[in-house]
Amino acid sequence: MKLDLKLSQKAVMLAAVPLIFELGFFCTLVYEVKNFDTQTKIQNQARDILTTVNLLLKSFLQAAGAMGMFQVHHEERFRKQYDHAIVEMKRLRLELDGLIKGDTSEDLVEFVGSSDELIRALEQCSDLVSTGDRIDRMRSIIRAQKLLTKIDSSGNKVIDRLKRTNDEQTLMQAKIYAMIEWLVVAAGLSIVIAIVLTIYFVRGTSKRLNVLMDNTLSLAMEKPLQAPLEGKDEIATIDGVFHKMAEALSSARTKEQALTRNALDVICSLDSKFKFTKMNQAVKNVWGYDDEELLGRSLLSLVDKDSVEHTRELLEEIVRTNSTAPFELRMQRKDRTPCDMSWSAQWSESDQSLFCVAHDVSERKRLERMKQEVVAMVSHDLRSPLTSIQAMFDLLEAGALGELNDRGAEKIQRSSASLARLISMINDLLDMEKLESGMFELTLQTVPFTTLAKHSLEGIQTSADQKKIHLEVAQSTAPVYCDGDRIVRVLINFLSNAIKFSPTDSTIKIEVEDEEDFVKINVIDQGKGIPPDKLESVFERFKQVERADETTKGGSGLGLAICKAIIDAHQGTIGVESEIGKGSTFWIKLPKQKQSERKQSLATV
């Protein structure tokens, strides 16, 4: 049966199996060593007791023999041998007490008791030899002989028992030695098992990791992957995720290739010498070239001759700095017709390639030129004659050419108003063009809020008085860092719109909020309000809240768009808050950044 284990489980098994064996062997070995030590101590004790008993019996015999020889020969040397034997017996008797502590064997107790009696008997014999009569000496000697016979019998019993004990301990030690040898063999066997398990797990894991590595390389080389790994371990899980990722990448690559092939823009890659290495099919539609015609050809060969060196420097700068700033090139199609292309490029150091996307902006350029022509025509061919006509209307109204009847005066007045509205629309169009082309300049300086409010009110006070609208201005000298004339124009536009859409006898407020990083100016009216779906579009060109406002309220629909462009140029924000039936609040936020006075061109809208 095949084990379906995770890597963590395999690692635990690899460590646990040998560890369990080794712990078992170690515990058994400790037990056997301890047992061996105990048996050795018992054996050594038995051997020491046996030796002491033998020496004690020998001393008894030596003492008895020396006493007998002394009585027969009465030589002093036998008496000395006897005394030496007595001293040795006492020493051995004391040594025997130290060896038999805790040993209550019957034969050993009997031997000890007999030894003590014999020692006392022999000491008595020694005393009787010197002072006693002959009969007492004989009695003492006979008693000593009997005790000697008794102790010899008990000593032999002790010796026999100790020999048996020694033999048993020797046999036990042999068994322990055999057990230790078996444990050593088992320990070696556990090492072999550990090695086998290691080889098994490592070989299986290594093989599966190699499959994972091969799949990684295959994915990088866009080759088919090997079959998914079986099992539920971590490697199989990673491989499953890797296959899913490969499928997702393949799907994304297919979509990317489809998008690249069908894209309207030119998508291509250039080598370090700016030669085409790869491109999509759009080159045929945009430039008229087939793929084979551009492969290996330099991009510089398609660029307008006057721009070749500039283009080379631009591309070299992109490669050197790895920048992605867009740029435009004027190029030539295969049929020699010019085309304007907007390029974005990114250098890849690893691929040593420049990846580019080029969008044909020829039509946009053509429209821009047409717009410039229209603006020039409006500026020179329309505004000048209209201004002259307006001056003639002013003369007629003033009676410079004679008095007009009431009907003629009314028609002149209406025509003059329509003409003024037309000239205002033309001026707004020209202002928007200047803003977009960066021809306007800002003169930034710190202006008190009261100054801005004063000049703004001067421009709309008459209109407010005609509708009996009351104007309330916050009394604040908060400093505003701005181009004063431009901000006054924005506030006049806000106030003019507020007057247009506010009812008679209402109030319009101008408030200011002086925050830490910016100054916020609010123009609050009590008009009919703006629908929520119109709030985001009021700052777009030619947008009115309602179509009827274009005729009933007048205006070109460019005023708020111009206001937004001015505030954007100040790096500020503009907005409106409104609720139907409760009026509107138009506001601007201007940063309070303290800079030296300078002139700044308005950013392109």
Side-chain angles (χ1 to χ4, degrees):
M1 182 178 65
K2 184 177 180 181
L3 294 177
D4 192 9
L5 302 176
K6 295 185 176 181
L7 288 179
S8 56
Q9 294 172 329
K10 291 181 180 179
V12 170
M13 180 180 293
L14 185 60
V17 172
L19 181 62
I20 292 172
F21 276 102
E22 293 298 333
L23 285 175
F25 297 150
F26 177 76
C27 294
T28 305
L29 182 61
V30 170
Y31 172 78
E32 294 297 338
V33 169
K34 187 175 181 181
N35 189 25
F36 177 79
D37 184 61
T38 302
Q39 299 301 325
T40 300
K41 288 180 180 179
I42 294 174
Q43 188 180 27
N44 290 336
Q45 183 183 19
R47 185 169 57 249
D48 292 340
I49 294 173
L50 181 61
T51 301
T52 303
V53 169
N54 282 325
L55 291 174
L56 192 58
L57 289 175
K58 181 180 178 181
S59 297
F60 287 151
L61 292 175
Q62 287 177 348
M67 176 57 67
M69 293 299 293
F70 178 76
Q71 289 188 12
V72 174
H73 298 287
H74 296 281
E75 294 181 3
E76 189 61 27
R77 61 187 181 90
F78 293 116
R79 178 61 183 264
K80 290 181 179 180
Q81 290 178 358
Y82 175 80
D83 292 338
H84 177 74
I86 292 296
V87 173
E88 183 66 16
M89 279 189 293
K90 290 181 179 181
R91 185 187 70 77
L92 292 173
R93 176 64 186 83
L94 291 174
E95 184 178 337
L96 183 62
D97 283 342
L99 294 174
I100 64 174
K101 287 181 179 179
D103 192 343
T104 58
S105 302
E106 183 179 351
D107 54 355
L108 193 56
V109 172
E110 181 182 353
F111 176 78
V112 170
S114 300
S115 297
D116 291 338
E117 290 181 7
L118 181 58
I119 291 172
R120 287 193 297 271
L122 290 174
E123 288 178 339
Q124 186 179 8
C125 287
S126 177
D127 294 337
L128 291 174
V129 168
S130 302
T131 60
D133 57 12
R134 186 174 181 179
I135 295 174
D136 291 334
R137 288 200 303 269
M138 292 302 295
R139 288 176 180 174
S140 178
I141 291 172
I142 293 171
R143 181 171 176 268
Q145 287 178 344
K146 290 180 179 180
L147 289 173
L148 187 61
T149 301
K150 180 180 178 182
I151 200 171
D152 183 62
S153 175
S154 62
N156 288 332
K157 291 180 180 179
V158 171
I159 290 172
D160 291 340
R161 183 179 64 81
L162 292 176
K163 285 183 177 180
R164 289 195 302 271
T165 301
N166 188 60
D167 293 339
E168 291 175 356
Q169 297 304 320
T170 302
L171 182 61
M172 181 65 69
Q173 288 179 351
K175 291 181 179 180
I176 293 174
Y177 273 123
M179 177 64 71
I180 292 175
E181 291 177 355
W182 181 85
L183 288 175
V184 172
V185 173
L189 181 61
S190 70
I191 294 174
V192 173
I193 292 174
I195 294 173
V196 171
L197 286 174
T198 302
I199 293 174
Y200 170 73
F201 290 136
V202 169
R203 182 175 297 174
T205 303
S206 176
K207 183 178 179 181
R208 295 164 73 81
L209 286 175
N210 287 334
V211 171
L212 198 59
M213 290 297 298
D214 290 342
N215 283 339
T216 303
L217 295 175
S218 298
L219 179 64
M221 300 174 65
E222 300 184 11
K223 293 182 178 180
L225 304 184
Q226 297 187 34
L229 293 174
E230 297 180 355
K232 298 181 180 178
D233 62 358
E234 291 82 351
I235 297 179
T237 302
I238 294 174
D239 186 64
V241 174
F242 192 85
H243 275 77
K244 292 180 180 179
M245 180 185 69
E247 293 176 1
L249 286 175
S250 177
S251 176
R253 189 181 295 113
T254 301
K255 294 178 181 178
E256 179 185 0
Q257 291 173 351
L259 289 173
T260 302
R261 284 194 304 268
N262 299 319
L264 298 178
D265 293 338
V266 173
I267 302 175
C268 61
S269 59
L270 310 175
D271 61 15
S272 57
K273 295 182 179 180
F274 313 127
K275 294 182 178 180
F276 289 97
T277 58
K278 199 171 183 180
M279 69 223 59
N280 65 343
Q281 296 176 356
V283 295
K284 178 68 175 177
N285 299 326
V286 177
W287 297 334
Y289 290 99
D290 293 324
D291 296 356
E292 295 78 6
E293 293 179 280
L294 289 181
L295 284 175
R297 185 172 175 177
S298 175
L299 171 65
L300 300 177
S301 65
L302 304 182
V303 179
D304 189 70
K305 293 181 180 181
D306 297 335
S307 305
V308 171
E309 288 305 319
H310 174 70
T311 303
R312 187 194 307 277
E313 294 174 359
L314 186 63
L315 294 176
E316 289 175 351
E317 179 69 15
I318 291 175
V319 173
R320 184 171 60 255
T321 62
N322 197 22
S323 59
T324 58
F327 56 94
E328 291 187 0
L329 295 178
R330 190 162 181 82
M331 307 177 65
Q332 286 188 347
R333 300 186 179 93
K334 186 177 180 180
D335 59 5
R336 299 297 179 182
T337 57
C339 64
D340 295 298
M341 304 295 296
S342 176
W343 287 76
S344 60
Q346 176 70 51
W347 173 255
S348 172
E349 190 66 31
S350 59
D351 295 326
Q352 289 291 299
S353 295
L354 196 64
F355 296 100
C356 308
V357 177
H359 177 65
D360 189 354
V361 294
S362 300
E363 184 64 19
R364 190 195 74 190
K365 291 287 186 179
R366 186 182 68 82
L367 293 176
E368 288 178 355
R369 289 191 291 270
M370 290 178 62
K371 184 181 70 172
Q372 292 173 355
E373 293 173 358
V374 170
V375 170
M377 182 268 292
V378 169
S379 177
H380 298 91
D381 299 343
L382 288 181
R383 188 169 61 171
S384 296
L386 290 175
T387 303
S388 300
I389 294 173
Q390 187 179 37
M392 179 58 68
F393 282 163
D394 291 340
L395 290 174
L396 290 175
E397 286 187 71
L401 300 180
E403 293 293 330
L404 300 175
N405 57 27
D406 293 341
R407 183 179 178 186
E410 182 181 358
K411 286 186 175 294
I412 290 296
Q413 188 176 8
R414 290 180 180 178
S415 298
S416 180
S418 299
L419 186 60
R421 188 162 54 249
L422 180 59
I423 292 175
S424 176
M425 183 181 295
I426 292 174
N427 289 334
D428 288 343
L429 284 172
L430 294 176
D431 287 344
M432 283 299 300
E433 175 60 23
K434 290 178 180 180
L435 286 168
E436 291 180 348
S437 61
M439 295 176 64
F440 266 21
E441 291 183 344
L442 294 180
T443 302
L444 299 176
Q445 58 185 350
T446 300
V447 182
F449 168 73
T450 53
T451 302
L452 297 176
K454 177 183 177 182
H455 293 316
S456 301
L457 293 180
E458 289 174 354
I460 52 86
Q461 188 66 56
T462 301
S463 299
D465 292 341
Q466 290 176 354
K467 290 191 67 173
K468 298 181 181 180
I469 291 177
H470 179 62
L471 299 174
E472 291 184 4
V473 181
Q475 298 302 311
S476 173
T477 58
V480 183
Y481 190 71
C482 64
D483 184 326
D485 293 339
R486 306 300 181 200
I487 298 303
V488 167
R489 179 172 181 178
V490 172
L491 294 178
I492 288 176
N493 190 286
F494 284 177
L495 292 168
S496 297
N497 287 339
I499 293 171
K500 287 180 185 179
F501 296 100
S502 295
T504 303
D505 295 326
S506 60
T507 300
I508 297 176
K509 298 179 181 180
I510 305 177
E511 298 178 350
V512 63
E513 299 176 21
D514 190 4
E515 301 292 341
E516 181 179 357
D517 299 324
F518 60 86
V519 174
K520 183 180 181 183
I521 302 175
N522 303 311
V523 176
I524 307 170
D525 63 44
Q526 296 176 334
K528 62 181 181 180
I530 302 173
D533 60 334
K534 301 290 185 179
L535 289 176
E536 295 184 1
S537 62
V538 294
F539 295 102
E540 297 178 9
R541 301 184 196 182
F542 308 111
K543 290 292 184 178
Q544 298 281 358
V545 175
E546 296 179 6
R547 295 292 299 175
D549 294 336
E550 297 181 14
T551 55
T552 61
K553 304 298 182 181
S556 63
L558 291 173
L560 291 178
I562 293 174
C563 291
K564 185 178 185 306
I566 292 174
I567 299 304
D568 289 344
H570 281 79
Q571 298 181 353
T573 54
I574 187 171
V576 59
E577 300 169 2
S578 182
E579 186 175 351
I580 297 296
K582 294 185 179 181
S584 304
T585 299
F586 282 83
W587 55 265
I588 58 174
K589 283 184 181 180
L590 298 174
K592 291 180 67 175
Q593 184 180 6
K594 295 297 183 182
Q595 306 176 26
S596 58
E597 292 189 7
R598 61 186 176 86
K599 290 188 176 183
Q600 175 181 335
S601 296
L602 283 178
T604 301
V605 179

